[in-house]
Amino acid sequence: MSNKQRGFLYAIAGPFLWGISGSVAQFLFNSQRIPTQWLVGLRLIVAGSLLILWCGFTMKSEIFKILMRPRYIFQLLCFGLLGMLPAQYTYFMAIKYGNAPTATVLQFLGPLFIILYLSLRQLHLPRRIDVLSIILALFGTYLLVTHGQMNQLALSPLAVLWGVGSGLSQASYTLLPRELLKKFDARIVTGWSMLLGGIVFAPVAHLNQVPSLNMTSWIAIIFIITGGTMFSYLFYLQSLNYLTATTTGMLSAFEPLTATILSVTLLSTHIGPAEITGALLILAITFLQALPKQLFVRRHNQVHPQ
């Protein structure tokens, strides 16, 4: 297997596991009265601890360097409490009040909020490609939450609110750790931020706060923590060793695709033509944001061949 093929395998495996995790969470919320805070807290604390333990075996001398300077500690706290925690919590709340496919797709509104933030911060109008992205995102969201009918909502208001919040949280999740990721390994940053974010829910993230669960539910929870969090993230990171971030970003579309297929076939979730169209329009933002750079690189190579 070539490096490129290995990269594609990892880049697809990560979103594939994330998509399964969303559908598994939908199953848990539908079949068991599991508190969202408990599930998110347990997921972040255990997955964060496992990632730090993993780093302890592979880069023992590096895991505590991020805690040596107040500046890095402050940035890590901001990422954990304002990026990692809300990204996880809003996503699961969107699943709880809606379903996994729509919650997963609404996460992809993140680039829309990044465009708006950067335009306001830099005090300039969005590029034409950004304006097109905004229009597609708004129209796609409209189709997703209304089925194309202006007089009704296909999702509950809470599902829409948490879903849009999930997209906003994805934007903060992307923007906040940029300086830390330039100085430290991404696994260390993610592990500590998960652990710090999960501590917020530590008072409710213990066994006394959850109803009695059967073996199937416990297997589902274990999968969400391991396969749907730690291994999916490690696969994604591994893919970056072989592919560009743009390519792996576009392949993340396998996450909503997986969640949709599983939810429709196994959980009897109804997905109509309007929702599919809306989802495709929202997912198109990722491809549009990658397009200008790709065209520039291609044009530069034509003018300055190697």
Side-chain angles (χ1 to χ4, degrees), residues 1-18 231-243 247-248 251-252 254 258:
M1 181 182 295
S2 67
N3 286 341
K4 189 172 183 179
Q5 290 174 326
R6 188 175 287 108
F8 273 100
L9 178 62
Y10 287 134
I12 292 172
F16 178 72
L17 289 174
W18 280 325
F231 285 113
S232 57
Y233 181 76
L234 290 175
F235 283 145
Y236 175 80
L237 283 180
Q238 193 67 20
S239 71
L240 295 174
N241 293 325
Y242 307 103
L243 303 174
T247 301
T248 56
L251 289 173
S252 64
F254 274 89
T258 302

Side-chain angles (χ1 to χ4, degrees), residues 251-306:
L251 289 173
S252 64
F254 274 89
E255 180 183 357
L257 176 63
T258 302
T260 299
I261 292 174
L262 291 177
S263 294
V264 170
T265 56
L266 300 180
L267 301 177
S268 302
T269 302
H270 174 72
I271 301 293
E275 295 100 302
I276 294 174
T277 304
L280 291 175
L281 291 176
I282 293 174
L283 294 177
I285 303 174
T286 302
F287 295 86
L288 282 176
Q289 290 300 302
L291 184 60
K293 182 178 179 180
Q294 293 295 331
L295 288 177
F296 174 80
V297 172
R298 189 179 299 117
R299 189 176 302 149
H300 181 273
N301 289 338
Q302 290 172 351
V303 177
H304 305 284
Q306 299 295 325

Side-chain angles (χ1 to χ4, degrees), residues 13 50 77 80 96 136 148 188 193 198 213 215 241 276 287 292 302:
L50 289 174
L77 283 170
K96 180 177 181 178
L136 290 179
I188 294 175
S193 65
L213 300 173
M215 182 61 67
N241 293 325
I276 294 174
F287 295 86
Q302 290 172 351

Side-chain angles (χ1 to χ4, degrees), residues 20 52 85 163 168 182 281 295:
I20 296 176
I52 292 173
L85 176 59
L168 182 60
K182 291 178 182 178
L281 291 176
L295 288 177

Side-chain angles (χ1 to χ4, degrees), residues 98-150:
N99 55 64
T102 54
T104 306
V105 168
L106 288 173
Q107 278 190 117
F108 281 76
L109 289 173
L112 167 66
F113 294 109
I114 292 175
I115 290 170
L116 296 175
Y117 167 76
L118 293 177
S119 296
L120 290 173
R121 181 180 179 182
Q122 298 169 4
L123 297 177
H124 66 71
L125 294 175
R127 302 170 302 166
R128 283 178 293 179
I129 197 73
D130 294 336
V131 173
L132 178 58
S133 297
I134 292 171
I135 293 172
L136 290 179
L138 293 176
F139 187 55
T141 303
Y142 161 74
L143 291 177
L144 198 65
V145 304
T146 67
H147 287 184
Q149 300 181 21
M150 295 183 64

Side-chain angles (χ1 to χ4, degrees), residues 4 13 58 61 64 67 73 100 102 127 149 151 192 239 256 261:
K4 189 172 183 179
T58 58
S61 62
F64 293 109
L67 304 177
I73 295 175
T102 54
R127 302 170 302 166
Q149 300 181 21
N151 60 344
W192 281 113
S239 71
I261 292 174

